[in-house]
Amino acid sequence: MKKTVLVLIAVLALLMLAACSEKSGTVKGVTTTSTAKSVDSTLEDRTRVMDSSVVYGIYEPPTRSTIEPEIDLTKMSGPLVYSVVYNMMKDPERFNGKIIKMGGAFDSVLGDDGIRRYACIVKDAAACCAQGIEFKMKDDLKYPDDYPGQYQDFAVIGTFVVYTSEKDNYTYCYLDNAEYI
Amino acid sequence: MIDKLVMYLAYPFVRYALIVGVLVSLCSSLLGVTLVLRRYSFIGDGLSHVAFGTMAIATVLRLSNNMILVLPVTILGAILILKAGSRTRMQGDAILAVISVSALALGYLIMNVFAVSANISGDVCATLFGSTSILTLGQSEVWMCMGLSVVVIAVFIFMYNRLFSVTFDSDFAKATGQKPERYNMLIAILIAIVITLGMNLVGSLLITALVIFPALASMRLFGSFKAVTVSSVILSVVCAFAGMVLSIMIGTPVGSTIVAADLVMFLICCCIGGLRRGGR
């Protein structure tokens, strides 16, 4: 009798845990569940941002570069891409002047100095760590019309340049004369 | 596929990862046999959590080289775990559990409260599971790993007979004038070194697999201590190398792939051992 009661309590507890969500909906191909409207709207916004490639597809540029890269990150596996980019940040002089081809998520941020900067973000295999490289386009392009959507997958090729800022004496690096590929 | 691998090997950090991975797996397998036989398998797990907690403190203190703090504290932790189990009212496994979970929880708490990077979860994940840490080693870190590995291997080879007698019959070893407590301490120090090195390869949570799987697999195949030790080394090195190459080629986390390779190897050895016993 005691065993039966315990089993019944365990089953009830399991059912209660499984029945927590009340509302479900599909937001641009991703199902979200929520018990509150405010949580739903937050999830919707975040899902839209994270799935911009699902929404917009991989970025198709109007023109593609025909330059051959010295280091092609688009042909490497996830752990290697992350490691190469990590080492480029850690030991940038080793890669100075090399033509790098890389693919990743587009990111753009407006700096405190009023200058908008653009970066290509790569993640490791577990997608828990991310690295990025800033790039400056060769042609004078207009944001946001001539650039990919935020976090949209794209590929770019450019020359890796290292410089020391006179303002703060830090070493920075970016892909110069970048072109879509 | 081969062309791709050759291209990857052109990068120095890939060569460093393979060298360090092979050395760490070699050292961990040497000590694994002794630990498994002495039922100290989980000491590696406890020490890895202590190392994680210490690494959190080192990160918060912005030390350029974490090993300066992590290695001595982990060695101290190993000594405390062994000494505390014999002298206090709490049993050894309880002491291990207390130290292990406390270090893990406090380490994560410290990293969150005194955050020094924008991606705490990523840093913690990489430390716990070793997703790409092994591929981001610098030359100085490789030299340090090589030096410590040579020390571990040399001590094991020179102390082989004494470690053997202490492992199988510590009472007899004591009766013949040896001091088992000192060799236990030595084993604890060696395993602390291996744990600290192994965190870069497979992360804190998976390092125990690197220690016990090769030993357990070898015990399914062989009966003598020497044969088990040699076989454990070979299996560990092969699985670590294969795991790293596989993870680099197909894009999986390095630590998990190595442990998965160890698991597959263990299951194969269990099957072979079972068939051999059934055939007799």
Side-chain angles (χ1 to χ4, degrees):
Chain A
M1 181 64 185
K2 213 175 177 182
K3 263 190 190 170
T4 315
V5 169
L6 283 170
V7 166
L8 268 170
I9 292 171
V11 167
L12 275 169
L14 209 65
L15 282 171
M16 279 166 62
L17 285 169
C20 266
S21 54
E22 287 180 5
K23 188 178 170 185
S24 68
T26 304
V27 178
K28 298 198 195 303
V30 176
T31 305
T32 62
T33 55
S34 169
T35 56
K37 281 184 185 173
S38 60
V39 174
D40 265 347
S41 58
T42 310
L43 277 173
E44 191 174 321
D45 288 344
R46 206 196 313 164
T47 309
R48 188 188 303 125
V49 167
M50 287 168 69
D51 284 345
S52 57
S53 284
V54 173
V55 177
Y56 302 116
I58 295 172
Y59 181 67
E60 294 289 342
T63 55
R64 292 178 191 271
S65 173
T66 52
I67 302 170
E68 282 299 314
E70 291 174 75
I71 297 173
D72 188 353
L73 299 182
T74 59
K75 289 186 179 167
M76 293 184 187
S77 62
L80 253 298
V81 172
Y82 176 85
S83 303
V84 171
V85 175
Y86 180 96
N87 279 277
M88 284 164 78
M89 297 298 116
K90 192 177 169 187
D91 189 11
E93 288 299 334
R94 187 190 280 272
F95 297 88
N96 195 15
K98 291 199 187 292
I99 300 173
I100 314 278
K101 178 181 169 186
M102 66 183 299
F106 174 79
D107 196 5
S108 159
V109 68
L110 188 65
D112 294 333
D113 53 4
I115 299 173
R116 182 165 286 277
R117 291 178 174 84
Y118 313 99
C120 181
I121 310 294
V122 296
K123 294 180 182 176
D124 70 345
C128 66
C129 298
Q131 287 279 349
I133 297 181
E134 184 191 352
F135 66 91
K136 293 180 183 174
M137 296 303 287
K138 182 180 175 183
D139 300 321
D140 190 21
L141 302 182
K142 196 179 163 193
Y143 180 82
D145 301 327
D146 300 325
Y147 285 89
Q150 193 78 348
Y151 305 126
Q152 188 174 9
D153 280 341
F154 80 115
V156 69
I157 186 167
T159 307
F160 191 75
V161 168
V162 180
Y163 71 97
T164 305
S165 168
E166 288 171 0
K167 202 162 46 173
D168 51 22
N169 230 28
Y170 283 131
T171 302
Y172 294 94
C173 49
Y174 64 96
L175 288 183
D176 197 21
N177 290 326
E179 295 175 77
Y180 293 124
I181 201 158
Chain B
M1 196 84 141
I2 303 291
D3 294 337
K4 209 173 183 181
L5 184 60
V6 168
M7 178 188 69
Y8 288 163
L9 287 172
Y11 292 99
F13 56 86
V14 174
R15 296 195 297 272
Y16 296 160
L18 291 172
I19 291 168
V20 169
V22 163
L23 285 173
V24 169
S25 59
L26 198 156
C27 295
S28 62
S29 61
L30 279 179
L31 295 171
V33 178
T34 305
L35 287 180
V36 167
L37 288 171
R38 302 212 57 189
R39 300 181 194 278
Y40 280 160
S41 301
F42 259 92
I43 200 172
D45 204 50
L47 287 178
S48 68
H49 293 176
V50 169
F52 170 78
T54 317
M55 195 174 279
I57 296 171
T59 305
V60 164
L61 294 175
R62 296 180 191 267
L63 292 178
S64 57
N65 188 355
N66 289 339
M67 292 273 259
I68 298 168
L69 187 64
V70 173
L71 191 56
V73 172
T74 309
I75 290 173
L76 190 66
I79 294 170
L80 280 173
I81 286 170
L82 278 180
K83 275 198 176 298
S86 60
R87 290 187 182 177
T88 64
R89 277 180 281 181
M90 285 170 77
Q91 293 297 317
D93 58 340
I95 293 280
L96 193 60
V98 165
I99 293 173
S100 172
V101 295
S102 304
L104 193 64
L106 287 174
Y108 190 58
L109 187 65
I110 288 168
M111 282 184 90
N112 271 270
V113 170
F114 303 102
V116 295
S117 83
N119 185 16
I120 298 164
S121 298
D123 294 341
V124 169
C125 178
T127 307
L128 289 176
F129 294 100
S131 52
T132 42
S133 308
I134 192 69
L135 290 164
T136 57
L137 296 176
Q139 208 171 30
S140 58
E141 289 158 307
V142 175
W143 281 116
M144 186 186 264
C145 285
M146 286 172 74
L148 289 170
S149 300
V150 165
V151 166
V152 170
I153 294 166
V155 167
F156 187 87
I157 291 171
F158 287 121
M159 301 280 182
Y160 175 80
N161 289 328
R162 293 182 192 183
L163 288 173
F164 175 84
S165 67
V166 165
T167 299
F168 282 99
D169 196 340
S170 57
D171 292 330
F172 177 76
K174 206 170 186 176
T176 54
Q178 293 175 40
K179 297 195 188 309
E181 300 83 20
R182 283 189 193 171
Y183 293 108
N184 286 338
M185 208 59 63
L186 181 66
I187 291 168
I189 291 170
L190 291 179
I191 197 67
I193 294 173
V194 168
I195 293 296
T196 310
L197 295 177
M199 278 177 65
N200 278 326
L201 182 61
V202 292
S204 299
L205 291 183
L206 301 176
I207 184 64
T208 304
L210 212 61
V211 173
I212 65 170
F213 268 133
L216 290 173
S218 300
M219 285 173 194
R220 299 289 168 276
L221 302 176
F222 302 104
S224 75
F225 185 74
K226 194 175 268 186
V228 165
T229 305
V230 171
S231 160
S232 174
V233 166
I234 294 169
L235 291 176
S236 181
V237 167
V238 166
C239 287
F241 189 84
M244 278 190 287
V245 169
L246 201 64
S247 80
I248 289 168
M249 298 298 284
I250 66 175
T252 52
V254 178
S256 316
T257 312
I258 292 173
V259 173
D262 279 329
L263 176 64
V264 167
M265 177 265 303
F266 170 69
L267 292 172
I268 291 171
C269 291
C270 282
C271 292
I272 295 171
L275 285 169
R276 281 163 78 179
R277 277 192 296 275
R280 283 184 198 154

